[in-house]
Amino acid sequence: MAYEAVIGLECHIQLKTRTKMFCACPVEFGADVNSNVCPVCLGLPGALPRLNDRAVDYALRLGLALGCQIRAESVFARKNYFYPDMPKNYQITQYDRPLCEGGELPVVMDGVERRFELTRIHCEEDAGKSFHPERVGERRISRVEFNRAGTPLLELVTEPVLHTPAECSAFLTGLRRLVRALGISDADMEKGQLRCDANVSLRPVGATALGTKAEIKNLNSIKGVEKGVTAEIARQSRALDAGEKILQATLLYDADHDKLAIMRTKEHAHDYRYFPDPDLPVLCVSDERVSLVRSTLPELPWVLEERFIEQYGLPAYDASVLSDPPELAAYYEACAKGAEAKLASNWLMTEVLRILKEREWPLERWIQQVPAQRMRGFLAKVAARELPGPLAKQAIEWLADEAGTIDDLLARHDVRVQSSAEDLLPLVRQVIDENPVPVSQYLSGRTATFGFLVGQVMKKSGGQAVPQTVQELLKKELADRTQ
Ligand SMILES: [Zn+2]
């Protein structure tokens, strides 16, 4: 039977605040084990939480960017359960009165804009981390690490409006781009700064009632989400085809082995016994605060993308690549000034991004080494046809490694670009004289040999001729010979 998948996502976004959600401990990746802890985030008796205002502002930024309703009075609740890496035995989160509700994320897929509706966004704290089992000598031990305990998180929940694995990855890509543009999270999935659970159910195509859903926990890469959801859709449709009932279950997906494992079924589901946290006051957000946060929002990525298409005449694909992260977008705009916009886009998207990948450089290192002004000098030369393709590809590596303007670099590497007819005409004539057979083939209408002749001239110039000039000269000389 043909089925339609119905998917809802729960995304956890780690906020880029200096300190934790309810205490003054620093939020740091890679700090010494259990060094960023205090009585509050260790859950010691008598310690009282105090809300991080910056985290609330960040939540408001995201909520406003997505067009959510902001609740003037929202409430923190305790979600009670036992887990070794959660010392209070409850997590502080928001339950029936979350900070943000509704809203939607616009995402362009295959050139068509889709808007995915959201249920809510709320603030909460992260748990610690368990490592187990590990072997120390003869003993097998487990360790718990509390540096992450109390880290500010936003949980964003979508309506069940996604239907394919590709939509899930497009949604996450769009969300990652947005939170980076808002400056509220680095959303590095490898570091767990953006994680996602997916609720998946199937129903026969055309049916409206929802099937029984299963939840895949802690998907931690965009590829992983796509593969995990694909595997779950396949698992459920096999079961339904075999006449089995889908059990409401929580699953773990192992991306390395493309395997799903059932953690627990509904009979063992938790009852979290939510209740309002008596240690925290109601979170009141005034209209003034909302307006203030709204006034600090940057140009949103989908607006910026649209502007790149209109202002610079870029194809949609270029605009989507160059609009994320915001540093790349700003660098592109600075480079496109004065240079041909599409030319700048081509060089950034192909050569610069390739170099970064090959050298494992962060973008900021490139920008430091090749500020926009330097890059513009290079692009102007390419635009003026004063740097033939292969030489330009070489020269951009020199830009990455050495100091100086593009002219300095060409002089240092003893490159004399041959762009004038005066330089090139003797070579063109020589090639025509030395290749009578291809020349006569060309003259008798077999124009395919033209490329060969251009290549011969390029070779004679040692790759330093400008191909456009060679082509023009060659055409003219050959035309003269026919008369
Ligand atoms: Zn602390």
Side-chain angles (χ1 to χ4, degrees):
M1 195 190 277
Y3 302 104
E4 176 190 48
V6 179
I7 307 160
L9 299 178
E10 288 175 20
C11 306
H12 287 96
I13 303 150
Q14 185 183 315
L15 295 178
K16 210 162 71 168
T17 51
R18 243 174 8 85
T19 56
K20 293 187 182 179
M21 194 67 172
F22 299 109
C23 63
C25 291
V27 175
E28 276 178 288
F29 188 79
D32 282 349
V33 173
N34 288 320
S35 61
N36 292 336
V37 291
C38 74
V40 174
C41 56
L42 285 178
L44 301 188
L48 286 172
R50 189 172 176 279
L51 180 60
N52 184 332
D53 256 348
R54 178 65 63 85
V56 175
D57 280 341
Y58 283 0
L60 291 172
R61 288 187 139 217
L62 184 60
L64 291 170
L66 292 167
C68 302
Q69 297 288 325
I70 307 296
R71 193 186 278 273
E73 296 190 351
S74 67
V75 174
F76 285 96
R78 292 186 180 179
K79 180 182 183 181
N80 297 281
Y81 62 103
F82 170 77
Y83 214 77
D85 58 20
M86 198 182 58
K88 295 195 297 289
N89 286 341
Y90 59 83
Q91 177 194 23
I92 306 177
T93 178
Q94 296 190 298
Y95 182 53
D96 53 350
R97 280 161 285 175
L99 182 59
C100 311
E101 287 168 294
E104 51 189 21
L105 175 71
V107 170
V108 175
M109 286 185 69
D110 303 322
V112 181
E113 191 191 81
R114 304 278 315 275
R115 304 183 84 88
F116 294 110
E117 292 149 328
L118 311 177
T119 312
R120 57 191 276 158
I121 305 171
H122 67 249
C123 306
E124 61 183 30
E125 58 175 348
D126 208 345
K129 251 183 179 174
S130 302
F131 298 87
H132 49 91
E134 292 178 355
R135 194 173 281 281
V136 175
E138 292 295 299
R139 292 186 307 150
R140 284 156 66 82
I141 59 158
S142 289
R143 291 186 297 125
V144 280
E145 221 275 82
F146 293 115
N147 281 354
R148 201 180 69 177
T151 297
L153 292 183
L154 296 183
E155 178 172 323
L156 176 150
V157 183
T158 74
E159 291 285 289
V161 286
L162 299 104
H163 297 290
T164 64
E167 285 180 355
C168 296
S169 65
F171 181 92
L172 271 183
T173 308
L175 179 63
R176 184 175 63 181
R177 179 176 76 160
L178 174 62
V179 298
R180 285 178 179 168
L182 294 172
I184 64 173
S185 173
D186 291 329
D188 184 337
M189 294 189 83
E190 272 179 23
K191 294 182 184 164
Q193 293 164 342
L194 176 61
R195 315 191 284 271
C196 173
D197 305 336
N199 287 297
V200 181
S201 66
L202 295 193
R203 62 185 173 195
V205 170
T208 49
L210 291 172
T212 307
K213 69 181 179 185
E215 182 181 24
I216 319 171
K217 280 278 183 198
N218 267 329
L219 295 159
N220 55 9
S221 72
I222 287 177
K223 261 258 119 42
V225 172
E226 199 167 337
K227 284 170 65 186
V229 170
T230 304
E232 178 56 12
I233 292 173
R235 184 187 76 90
Q236 288 190 24
S237 49
R238 271 197 310 271
L240 290 172
D241 280 342
E244 292 166 21
K245 243 181 102 180
I246 302 292
L247 294 176
Q248 189 165 339
T250 306
L251 305 155
L252 270 187
Y253 177 67
D254 174 355
D256 295 335
H257 302 94
D258 193 22
K259 279 219 162 68
L260 282 164
I262 295 184
M263 280 165 73
R264 56 176 180 262
T265 50
K266 201 186 176 194
E267 295 87 277
H268 304 99
H270 291 293
D271 177 358
Y272 294 116
R273 308 238 164 198
Y274 286 98
F275 63 87
D277 191 311
D279 289 341
L280 286 160
V282 168
L283 170 56
C284 298
V285 176
S286 67
D287 290 347
E288 290 73 31
R289 184 168 183 186
V290 171
S291 318
L292 191 66
V293 172
R294 196 190 297 278
S295 71
T296 65
L297 290 183
E299 186 177 29
L300 298 176
W302 48 88
V303 178
L304 178 110
E305 195 174 328
E306 200 54 42
R307 182 168 64 77
F308 274 13
I309 294 172
E310 277 173 24
Q311 185 175 343
Y312 300 111
L314 293 185
Y317 178 73
D318 293 31
S320 75
V321 173
L322 294 172
S323 61
D324 181 42
E327 295 77 14
L328 179 62
Y331 183 67
Y332 168 69
E333 290 213 80
C335 290
K337 231 178 250 168
E340 287 174 47
K342 179 66 179 119
L343 185 74
S345 152
N346 287 348
W347 279 90
L348 290 194
M349 297 218 331
T350 54
E351 294 307 310
V352 175
L353 294 183
R354 175 188 62 77
I355 290 172
L356 295 188
K357 203 168 171 200
E358 278 176 15
R359 302 180 179 214
E360 296 179 358
W361 278 17
L363 176 65
E364 55 201 2
R365 179 155 177 200
W366 173 271
I367 296 175
Q368 209 172 14
Q369 172 67 16
V370 190
Q373 195 189 356
R374 232 180 140 214
M375 189 68 189
R376 283 207 304 272
F378 166 80
L379 291 169
K381 269 230 160 346
V382 177
R385 297 180 175 184
E386 289 168 15
L387 265 184
L391 193 55
K393 282 189 180 172
Q394 175 62 63
I396 200 161
E397 303 272 354
W398 294 333
L399 282 176
D401 292 323
E402 302 171 33
T405 64
I406 184 70
D407 285 320
D408 298 338
L409 290 172
L410 295 178
R412 189 177 309 148
H413 290 273
D414 202 21
V415 173
R416 206 173 65 86
V417 178
Q418 298 171 335
S419 59
S420 69
E422 203 181 322
D423 287 334
L424 292 174
L425 200 51
L427 299 183
V428 167
R429 289 187 171 146
Q430 211 180 331
V431 165
I432 290 174
D433 292 340
E434 286 170 5
N435 294 280
V437 177
V439 167
S440 70
Q441 284 175 339
Y442 174 81
L443 293 178
S444 63
R446 308 236 296 272
T447 49
T449 54
F450 186 69
F452 168 79
L453 295 170
V454 173
Q456 293 303 304
V457 181
M458 292 302 295
K459 214 173 185 179
K460 277 197 189 302
S461 76
Q464 299 185 0
V466 175
Q468 287 89 343
T469 317
V470 173
Q471 287 170 10
E472 282 157 22
L473 289 172
L474 199 52
K475 268 197 186 134
K476 190 166 165 301
E477 279 297 299
L478 289 166
D480 288 348
R481 306 252 164 153
T482 52
Q483 286 158 8

